[in-house]
Amino acid sequence: MTKPTTTKLITNTVRLSFVHLLEPAETLAGDMKYSTQILIPKSDTVTLGKIENAIEAAKEIAKAKNWNGKIPANLNMPLRDGDEEFDEDGNAKVPGHYFMNVSCKTRPGIVDRYVQPLTDPERVYSGVYARVSLNAFGYSAAGNKGVSFGLNNVQIIKDGEFLGGRSSADADFDEFELDEEDDDLM
């Protein structure tokens, strides 16, 4: 078996959550970063295979560069199982998906499916479907060692239902007819 050689990948269509792509958000460490969580269906074996290969390539690079010639036994890994992590009510966080958080210090390029630039927050939100360009890297910082992914660029593919409880105005309301009593209120 040949060793993976590239740390860069482009996903198939994934869903974005916790989207901070147009404006940076403050991290727990106090840094300002652009970030999102990507939700990968467990059935997307192509994307999952690309992620695993990029992780292996990053481990090999970091072995020489960051980890004194050995891959540490207990690495922090970026890919998490949404069926094995639970919310405060005991429900699976992201059933049927793997997920990982990705970020960058500079604003990622964001385009639509026709490769036209996007800056409209109505098009870049938690729940949208996208393809994501990522780069895996190994790290050793503050006693922690692991592999993570940097965010390169995002291609918005199609709209999805808002995540996090937000709904659209047309979903909340129907047409409203004023009657004479309502006229008196205005």
Side-chain angles (χ1 to χ4, degrees):
M1 183 174 149
T2 61
K3 289 187 179 191
T5 59
T6 184
T7 59
K8 184 176 179 183
L9 71 107
I10 297 174
T11 68
N12 286 336
T13 302
V14 297
R15 196 148 188 213
L16 305 183
S17 186
F18 300 102
V19 173
H20 299 284
L21 297 173
L22 298 172
E23 297 290 330
E26 189 171 358
T27 67
L28 294 175
D31 301 325
M32 297 300 287
K33 287 190 174 183
Y34 297 88
S35 62
T36 190
Q37 184 176 87
I38 65 171
L39 311 178
I40 307 142
K42 288 186 173 182
S43 61
D44 185 357
T45 57
V46 172
T47 295
L48 293 168
K50 289 179 183 180
I51 289 169
E52 290 300 326
N53 283 336
I55 287 171
E56 291 305 313
K59 286 161 105 177
E60 287 300 319
I61 292 167
K63 178 170 78 171
K65 187 176 174 184
N66 304 81
W67 302 330
N68 300 322
K70 292 189 238 173
I71 296 176
N74 295 319
L75 289 176
N76 293 323
M77 299 303 284
L79 194 60
R80 296 160 52 191
D81 189 332
D83 289 312
E84 293 182 6
E85 294 198 25
F86 304 97
D87 63 19
E88 59 275 354
D89 296 325
N91 301 313
K93 278 190 177 180
V94 194
H97 292 78
Y98 287 101
F99 68 98
M100 64 182 182
N101 300 317
V102 295
S103 66
C104 56
K105 291 182 181 178
T106 58
R107 186 174 173 184
I110 306 170
V111 296
D112 65 14
R113 66 186 202 181
Y114 304 106
V115 196
Q116 298 301 306
L118 283 177
T119 58
D120 182 357
E122 296 295 318
R123 299 287 320 279
V124 184
Y125 58 90
S126 294
V128 74
Y129 290 88
R131 294 171 63 215
V132 184
S133 171
L134 304 169
N135 196 54
F137 62 92
Y139 65 87
S140 180
N144 295 311
K145 295 177 180 169
V147 175
S148 191
F149 279 88
L151 173 63
N152 296 329
N153 298 296
V154 176
Q155 182 180 36
I156 303 298
I157 301 299
K158 67 178 184 173
D159 289 327
E161 289 183 34
F162 291 104
L163 297 177
R166 180 178 169 197
S167 61
S168 64
D170 63 332
D172 283 349
F173 301 109
D174 54 6
E175 290 186 25
F176 187 81
E177 293 288 329
L178 288 175
D179 58 24
E180 288 181 29
E181 287 179 18
D182 294 324
D183 283 340
D184 293 340
L185 296 174
M186 301 181 131

